[in-house]
Every structure is written in C-alpha cells, then in structure tokens.
Amino acid sequence: MTELADLFKTLSHGVYVIGVSDGEHHNAFTAAWVMQVSFNPPLLAISINPSNYSYQLLQAGKICSVNVLTQQQYAAAEHFGSGGIKDKMAGYDWLSAETGAPILANSLAYFDCRLSHVCDAGDHKLAICQVIAAAKLQDGKPLLYSQTGDMDKSDGLYGKGE
Ligand SMILES: Cc1cc2nc3c(=O)[nH]c(=O)nc-3n(C[C@H](O)[C@H](O)[C@H](O)COP(=O)(O)O)c2cc1C
C-alpha cells in the first residue's frame, strides 16, 4: 500500500521563502504549504509550524512576504528550511517593500502581506495574509516541492492517517 507521505507528494506545491519582521528583528523560512484562498480581498494562507522562530516574529510584527523560488534556488530552499543557523539572513540580498517585510531580491516574484488572522490546523497554524503589494522580479520557472525530495525531512512525521 502506498504510504500517506508518498500520496501527499502527489499534491502540487511551489517552494517559497517567507520573510517576517518585528521591528529590528528579521527572519525567513522555507514553506511549501502556501496557497491563494480569496480573490477580494486577495488572501494567501501559509501553514506554519508554531515552533518555528518565524512564527513568533509573524505573531508580533503581523507582516510577511511570500517569495517565489526559481528552479535555480534549491540551495536557498535548503538554507531557509534549516534551523539553528546563526544570522540566517546574511549572504542574501533583501529589499524592503511597503509593509517593511524582507523581500528576497532574486526571487521570481514576491507578495508583500499583512497578517489578517490565524486559525488552528492540527500541529500547524494557518496564517491568513492579505496581499498589499506584489511584483515579478525576474523570469524563470518556479521550484516545485516535489523536486525537493525529503529536504524537509517530513517522511517520518506522519501518523497512521487516522
Ligand atoms: C522544502 C521545505 C518546505 C517546508 N515547508 C514548510 C511549511 O510549509 N511550513 C512550515 O512551518 N515549515 C516548513 N518547512 C520547515 C521550515 O522551513 C523549517 O522548520 C525552518 O527551519 C524554520 O525556520 P525558523 O525556525 O528560522 O523560522 C519546510 C522546509 C523545507 C525544506
């Protein structure tokens, strides 16, 4: 029988770097569980593990950016998807958009957002974010979650599906 972990990988996701800020404190993390959930107002939902450091900053600062990674940015997905990195933002170029959230300068496109509200979602929280501004930054094809293998080490995280 096909494992639940394999079946979930048949769902299509992109790979994004989510930038968060609270005053002088900035951080960013890799996320695949991101989707548009409304036309008017334009809303994105981001599923975020509340134990991520970025969750604290999102809750406090109430702003974030969703940066679309290109197929050439596998290394960035790995970097921002890892914990325990000191000065995680260093070595990457950042822009500041309307809300003040950090924008990854060489991403394919970005969405600059304000946190609307947070819902419970099992072991994650669903951050519903209103898009304030968005722009394309370069040409390219988006990196897909299915191309990252077990980079997020999620294969061992599933229960029995009950
Ligand atoms: C490809 C990939 C996809 C990921 N998707 C998510 C996600 O959708 N939501 C989430 O909370 N964490 C996701 N993660 C895990 C976080 O990026 C990871 O826990 C990160 O270290 C959190 O950073 P922080 O503690 O500095 O905020 C993903 C990691 C990778 C590599």
Side-chain angles (χ1 to χ4, degrees):
M1 197 179 113
T2 311
E3 293 291 330
L4 192 55
D6 293 331
L7 290 171
F8 269 119
K9 284 198 171 129
T10 65
L11 299 177
S12 297
H13 297 278
V15 184
Y16 310 93
V17 168
I18 311 299
V20 290
S21 280
D22 177 34
E24 295 303 301
H25 302 285
H26 310 288
N27 199 49
F29 72 104
T30 301
W33 294 351
V34 174
M35 67 185 287
Q36 180 181 352
V37 291
S38 166
F39 288 121
N40 188 17
L43 297 177
L44 292 174
I46 303 167
S47 181
I48 177 169
N49 186 329
S51 64
N52 291 356
Y53 171 55
S54 300
Y55 182 66
Q56 291 175 32
L57 294 188
L58 179 62
Q59 281 278 67
K62 302 203 174 339
I63 54 173
C64 69
S65 65
V66 174
N67 302 275
V68 184
L69 294 184
T70 70
Q71 302 238 332
Q72 280 67 47
Q73 291 178 302
Y74 186 94
E78 211 160 25
H79 176 82
F80 291 104
S82 306
I85 299 176
K86 198 167 171 266
D87 211 359
K88 200 177 183 186
M89 308 289 279
Y92 289 82
D93 292 332
W94 301 95
L95 308 169
S96 183
E98 203 171 315
T99 65
I103 305 294
L104 187 62
N106 61 350
S107 57
L108 186 61
Y110 74 83
F111 299 85
D112 184 24
C113 304
R114 275 192 208 292
L115 179 65
S116 167
H117 58 282
V118 174
C119 314
D120 288 334
D123 56 13
H124 278 53
K125 299 282 184 185
L126 213 50
I128 310 296
C129 302
Q130 181 160 356
V131 176
I132 303 299
K136 183 176 174 182
L137 295 176
Q138 60 165 306
D139 290 325
K141 289 192 176 157
L143 181 63
L144 302 179
Y145 182 51
S146 56
Q147 295 170 322
T148 64
D150 195 34
M151 185 195 279
D152 62 357
K153 302 181 182 57
S154 62
D155 284 358
L157 298 180
Y158 290 89
K160 299 281 179 232
E162 68 273 38

